[in-house]
Amino acid sequence: MIATPPSTAPAPSRVAIGADQGVPAVAATGIERRHPGGRGAGPVDLEVAAAETLALMGPNGAGKTTLLRMLATVDRPQRGSVSWWGSARPGRARRRLGLALDSAVEEAGLSGRQSTHFWCRQWVDDPSRARALVDLTLRRFGLDAVADEPVGSYSYGMRRRLALAQALVHQPDLALLDEPTAGLDPTGALALRELLAERCEQGRATVVASNDPAFVESVAARVALLVDGRLLRCASPAELLAGGDATRVVEVTMAPLDLPALRGVAGVIRIRQLDAERAVLELRPDTPLAGIVAAADAVPGRLRDLSVRDPDLRDRFAALTAAELARDPLDRDGRR
Amino acid sequence: MIRPVAAVRSRSGPRRARFAGMLPGGLWGREWLIALGSRRAVALKVAMPLVLTVPLAAGHAPTFWAGMLLSVLVAMIGAIGTGITVARARAAGLLARLAVVPRAPARTVGEWVVAAAAVDGLLLAPAISVVLIAGQPDPFAGLALVLMVVAVLLVANVLGCALAVLAGSAGDVLLDVVVVLAPLLYLGGLFTGVPREGWRWWAARLDPFSYLHAAFVAALGGSPSFAAVAVLAAAAATSAAALLALAMLGRAVLERA
């Protein structure tokens, strides 16, 4: 473990903190951007407060990255408008933005310190302050021991840490992070969680596009659930969980897995198969577990394990998206 | 204070990046560090023009054909290098990140392309030196060649960057460069010479590659289509046009991020 950064580290600073009171960091009104095949995002209305962490969740291809890129000023919406701290000028917003894409690959020949310094200097004019910020950030992301090694020698996880470090090194007032926990080890994910909490305390906003329910539940004040590019729900994790009709979730391990038998048990709302032997069952509150056990163990010995837990964001996400995707596509399109 | 992420341990005998002590503050410095970061890549990029230039210069090849080959070489090096770099940068997400940088797109892309052209110039310098040593041109013709090479590298890099915006992948850039450059080289009279009348004469007078060809022919002791003073004027006009195109291209490049 690395020692606490020295006191010479630059103090966190913010731009025009007083002017931001009550103004959302980013506000999107009816923004839409569709690719030629029809995929993309929008129309979406969304606001992120100045000291808020908002998570975008949704199935693959739901439009999370498209929406993130519009909020990050990379892509212009085909319809609708975006404002950052009350201004619709992307050029002005860019002074206060940080972006980490899941696809970002850094030049292999540069060292981690060189590439991070390059990105930091795009926002920070003072070279000595930039150096201090780079040292601090690389230490926070546990990369200081390898900071002078070429990025080409980094593992995937190290590159992901580097991408996050480069997005956050200049302490942006609005950070947009695409799949930030992808490739991070549990310690890295924990530290990122703490870093995002600190950003909120400092009045900084963060938007994360992530399908990691545990991470999202721990960092996000609100979760925006996207399906087919549209905003299905936007609520706090607690509100999302409270809105479900299942109160218990049972994970069953059977060999072989007999889904028809489990579906036949009274009180089972939904079944999600995890793999060849495991399935998650969402149950109504009054469903007796004995029915599940009897169905699963109808052939003695095939029930290997059964665990009961409260539903989490993963279950709620699966239930909401499954219900939405099961709707008639014409009906869904009609709501666009 | 936030707890730092568990540190990544350096393996025994860590391999330092070349010039690890130099920290780039902009794309200019970054491009130079990337270009000079690999000894093998530098050696290959210097050797490739040399293995073509030395036999041509030492073997007293016909100046028209030697000039043609060297002109094609300069144009291809300029266009392909930057084209592939920009296409890869787009695929890797680098362009999207550059699009978020709080600077004018023209300045960002301009710095990038000018740096790439400068790196190309440095790596071509030994080959151009061989031409100047072997051909022993008068100083005016020598200066005209050097400035025209710089101008064509600049315009070829801009062309490569523009094609990378349109191309789907780095592989496509290679084909696109050939498809666009070949007619320009033909119009410049590199393959067939320049007729002294008609529309092709006018086309050649507007084509920077014809002046580069003339500069090489003059430097190698042949009879060029254009005088050195015309080549110098063309170098200035080509550089100005390239920089103007670059200013207009910046936004398009970053919007295709």
Side-chain angles (χ1 to χ4, degrees):
Chain A
M1 190 64 102
I2 291 168
T4 305
S7 57
T8 53
S13 65
R14 293 204 55 225
V15 181
I17 192 166
D20 294 342
Q21 295 294 327
V23 180
V26 60
T29 310
I31 57 169
E32 180 169 19
R33 188 175 176 92
R34 294 277 166 183
H35 306 299
R39 290 237 299 269
V44 169
D45 293 312
L46 197 66
E47 264 191 27
V48 184
E52 182 184 21
T53 299
L54 176 105
L56 302 175
M57 291 185 85
N60 296 334
K64 301 185 294 295
T65 301
T66 305
L67 181 57
L68 202 72
R69 285 168 64 99
M70 286 192 281
L71 299 179
T73 77
V74 176
D75 293 333
R76 271 190 239 176
Q78 292 157 340
R79 285 191 208 124
S81 63
V82 190
S83 67
W84 298 266
W85 298 280
S87 162
R89 292 168 58 189
R92 184 182 268 188
R94 285 178 189 136
R95 294 181 207 152
R96 303 169 67 177
L97 290 184
L99 171 68
L101 293 171
D102 67 335
S103 62
V105 180
E106 192 44 83
E107 186 60 47
L110 295 178
S111 71
R113 192 190 307 281
Q114 284 173 327
S115 57
T116 307
H117 186 268
F118 164 76
W119 288 109
C120 187
R121 283 297 304 280
Q122 305 311 302
W123 282 269
V124 179
D125 289 334
D126 178 3
S128 56
R129 177 171 161 75
R131 271 175 189 260
L133 284 170
V134 168
D135 289 347
L136 171 71
T137 309
L138 290 176
R139 196 157 44 235
R140 279 193 171 174
F141 280 90
L143 291 169
D144 51 342
V146 293
D148 291 322
E149 294 184 25
V151 174
S153 68
Y154 285 17
S155 69
Y156 175 68
M158 289 156 73
R159 288 183 199 213
R160 292 296 303 155
R161 288 185 187 203
L162 187 67
L164 292 170
Q166 290 172 352
L168 299 172
V169 64
H170 56 289
Q171 302 180 332
D173 290 329
L174 173 62
L176 301 117
L177 312 175
D178 198 3
E179 301 291 355
T181 55
L184 287 190
D185 55 31
T187 324
L190 182 67
L192 179 64
R193 216 156 68 189
E194 292 175 358
L195 198 139
L196 296 188
E198 189 191 64
R199 282 180 52 79
C200 283
E201 287 164 17
Q202 292 167 351
R204 297 190 163 103
T206 309
V207 180
V208 293
S210 174
N211 278 339
D212 179 344
F215 175 74
V216 165
E217 213 170 329
S218 64
V219 300
R222 287 183 304 144
V223 180
L225 192 58
L226 290 172
V227 176
D228 272 356
R230 288 171 298 107
L231 194 59
L232 187 62
R233 293 283 302 275
C234 187
S236 70
E239 286 170 331
L240 280 178
L241 288 171
D245 47 6
T247 55
R248 271 199 295 188
V249 172
V250 175
E251 188 171 319
V252 178
T253 306
M254 294 169 66
L257 191 61
D258 186 354
L259 290 177
L262 295 173
R263 273 197 197 101
V265 178
V268 173
I269 302 167
R270 202 171 287 108
I271 296 182
R272 184 159 43 98
Q273 186 172 351
L274 298 179
D275 56 36
E277 295 189 346
R278 294 186 306 141
V280 171
L281 283 65
E282 292 176 39
L283 309 179
R284 292 192 198 290
D286 53 349
T287 307
L289 287 179
I292 305 288
V293 174
D297 211 25
V299 177
R302 74 176 178 180
L303 177 62
R304 298 282 170 83
D305 192 18
L306 186 146
S307 59
V308 184
R309 58 178 168 82
D310 292 330
D312 60 16
L313 210 50
R314 186 191 310 266
D315 305 312
R316 193 69 191 117
F317 168 75
L320 280 169
T321 53
E324 182 63 15
L325 291 170
R327 287 161 55 91
D328 184 338
L330 289 176
D331 184 24
R332 277 192 274 140
D333 289 346
R335 294 201 304 168
R336 277 183 190 164
Chain B
M1 178 50 114
I2 284 183
R3 194 155 31 95
V5 181
V8 173
R9 283 171 215 267
S10 184
R11 293 161 295 284
S12 57
R15 184 164 71 92
R16 276 172 67 86
R18 288 196 83 195
F19 313 113
M22 297 174 71
L23 300 178
L27 279 161
W28 173 266
R30 181 186 152 95
E31 278 304 299
W32 279 104
L33 282 174
I34 291 169
L36 304 178
S38 161
R39 284 194 191 92
R40 180 180 151 75
V42 170
L44 279 173
K45 285 174 185 169
V46 171
M48 198 271 277
L50 276 176
V51 297
L52 287 169
T53 310
V54 170
L56 288 174
H60 303 290
T63 54
F64 181 89
W65 301 114
M68 181 199 79
L69 193 59
L70 294 170
S71 301
V72 171
L73 181 74
V74 172
M76 295 295 251
I77 284 177
I80 289 175
T82 294
I84 289 177
T85 301
V86 173
R88 279 188 182 153
R90 196 172 72 210
L94 180 67
L95 286 191
R97 293 166 75 195
L98 285 174
V100 177
V101 162
R103 286 187 184 173
R107 185 179 159 192
T108 301
V109 175
E111 188 180 344
W112 195 7
V113 171
V114 170
V119 170
D120 288 343
L122 183 79
L123 300 177
L124 267 171
I128 303 301
S129 303
V130 167
V131 171
L132 295 175
I133 291 165
Q136 297 283 318
D138 66 71
F140 201 51
L143 178 68
L145 172 66
V146 170
L147 293 181
M148 200 62 221
V149 167
V150 170
V152 166
L153 280 178
L154 202 53
V155 85
N157 271 273
V158 174
L159 183 68
C161 185
L163 292 175
V165 173
L166 304 172
S169 68
D172 290 351
V173 172
L174 194 63
L175 299 173
D176 290 348
V177 164
V178 173
V179 166
V180 172
L181 268 186
L184 290 175
L185 295 170
Y186 167 76
L187 290 175
L190 273 74
F191 304 144
T192 57
V194 181
R196 287 283 168 181
E197 56 188 17
W199 68 272
R200 278 200 58 205
W201 169 239
W202 287 102
R205 290 178 77 170
L206 295 171
D207 189 331
F209 300 111
S210 63
Y211 294 94
L212 179 65
H213 182 236
F216 271 121
V217 170
L220 290 166
S223 303
S225 309
F226 300 104
V229 67
V231 174
L232 279 172
T238 302
S239 301
L243 292 174
L244 186 66
L246 204 47
M248 295 178 349
L249 192 64
R251 188 174 292 278
V253 171
L254 295 187
E255 279 187 352
R256 286 271 296 171

